[in-house]
Amino acid sequence: MTRKKVKLAFITNDSARKATFKKRKKGLMKKVSELSTLCGIDACAIIYSPYDNSPEVWPNTMGAQRVLAEFKRMPEMEQSKKMMNQESFLRQRIAKANEQLKKQSKENREKEMTEIMYQGLTGKGLQHLNLGDLNDLGWVIDQNLKEIYKRIEAVKKGASTSSSAAAAKSHAVVAPPVEQEPAEVELGLDGMQRTQAEWFTDWMNSNTSDQQIGFGHGDEMILPNHNDNHSANMWPNDFYP
């Protein structure tokens, strides 16, 4: 969770200012220690205070002197590359505040001219405006006209696309529906051949059985008479004279 932005202003209360100084000093020393330990760099901190005669040094006097000696051996361009004192810090903050003020003033001016434009559409006169106001009003009107033309072009483009799609759809050739063939109940060629072969085998077996065995009354079995001259009639005369 980020900390709430601190308001940079002088604390008028003496006791509150002293307590805040001690709190910030402790936090600053902790940050320097974490920076040196976690990142593996040489760092030192020297803090002067109106409440103490001697400055407070981290990690110690010898360590601070060693880091300062290494810093002084660096080229001047490298030394001042990211250096910032209180004056440069305040200048940077002032420049940033000025940029924000210009941006906000421009937005307010645009909203003011937009309101005047809508009042003019309702019939209110523009006699109270000076040359600068008229120039700003003209710029706002031009921006609104550009936006209106852009929307009109987008609507025309969408309408032309829709009409082209509709025309292409109306001229499209619809393929005739494919007639589905009724499901064949009959067997295929292999099935028909197999069925005919089975039927022929059954028929042969039944004929052979009829020629060999005949059934009489009850359980009496009668064999055909092969010596009979009337071979065409294979049944005895007892049943079929």
Side-chain angles (χ1 to χ4, degrees):
M1 182 177 180
T2 58
R3 189 175 61 179
K4 185 172 64 175
K5 189 175 181 180
V6 180
K7 182 180 179 180
L8 296 178
F10 180 75
I11 301 175
T12 57
N13 190 290
D14 294 338
S15 59
R17 185 169 64 253
K18 185 176 181 180
T20 303
F21 172 77
K22 290 182 179 180
K23 182 179 179 181
R24 297 291 173 82
K25 182 181 67 174
K26 184 179 179 180
L28 181 59
M29 291 296 184
K30 183 180 178 181
K31 291 297 182 181
V32 175
S33 175
E34 291 176 353
L35 180 64
S36 178
T37 302
L38 298 177
C39 299
I41 61 174
D42 293 332
C44 69
I46 303 173
I47 300 177
Y48 291 88
S49 168
Y51 309 105
D52 297 325
N53 295 327
S54 60
E56 186 172 352
V57 182
W58 186 95
N60 49 47
T61 305
M62 296 298 296
Q65 290 179 356
R66 179 175 55 83
V67 173
L68 289 175
E70 291 180 1
F71 177 75
K72 290 180 179 180
R73 285 195 295 267
M74 295 173 59
E76 293 184 1
M77 292 295 296
E78 292 293 330
Q79 290 182 11
S80 60
K81 186 175 182 180
K82 295 184 179 180
M83 184 183 294
M84 182 177 295
N85 53 19
Q86 186 175 5
E87 182 180 359
S88 60
F89 175 76
L90 292 176
R91 289 182 181 276
Q92 183 180 8
R93 297 288 297 184
I94 292 172
K96 186 176 180 180
N98 288 331
E99 291 295 330
Q100 293 178 353
L101 178 61
K102 290 180 181 179
K103 182 178 179 181
Q104 190 63 43
S105 299
K106 182 179 179 181
E107 291 179 358
N108 293 340
R109 183 65 172 174
E110 184 176 353
K111 290 180 180 179
E112 182 182 359
M113 292 296 105
T114 302
E115 183 179 359
I116 293 175
M117 179 185 67
Y118 286 124
Q119 291 176 357
L121 293 176
T122 59
K124 186 177 180 180
L126 305 177
Q127 294 82 3
H128 62 285
L129 300 179
N130 55 27
L131 185 59
D133 295 337
L134 292 175
N135 289 332
D136 294 341
L137 179 60
W139 180 85
V140 171
I141 293 174
D142 291 339
Q143 295 299 318
N144 282 271
L145 287 176
K146 289 180 181 179
E147 186 67 24
I148 292 172
Y149 291 148
K150 186 184 298 183
R151 293 184 180 182
I152 292 174
E153 291 297 329
V155 171
K156 288 182 178 180
K157 185 176 181 181
S160 61
T161 304
S162 301
S163 60
S164 300
K169 185 177 180 180
S170 62
H171 289 84
V173 179
V174 181
V178 180
E179 297 181 359
Q180 296 182 355
E181 297 181 357
E184 294 183 358
V185 181
E186 296 82 10
L187 299 175
L189 182 59
D190 295 340
M192 293 178 62
Q193 292 178 353
R194 187 165 53 250
T195 304
Q196 292 176 0
E198 293 176 356
W199 175 81
F200 183 77
T201 304
D202 295 340
W203 178 76
M204 290 296 295
N205 292 335
S206 63
N207 287 342
T208 305
S209 300
D210 293 342
Q211 291 178 2
Q212 293 178 357
I213 301 174
F215 296 93
H217 295 284
D219 295 333
E220 183 179 1
M221 182 181 298
I222 302 175
L223 298 176
N225 186 7
H226 296 284
N227 295 326
D228 192 359
N229 294 329
H230 302 284
S231 59
N233 188 2
M234 55 183 295
W235 297 102
N237 294 330
D238 295 341
F239 297 96
Y240 296 96

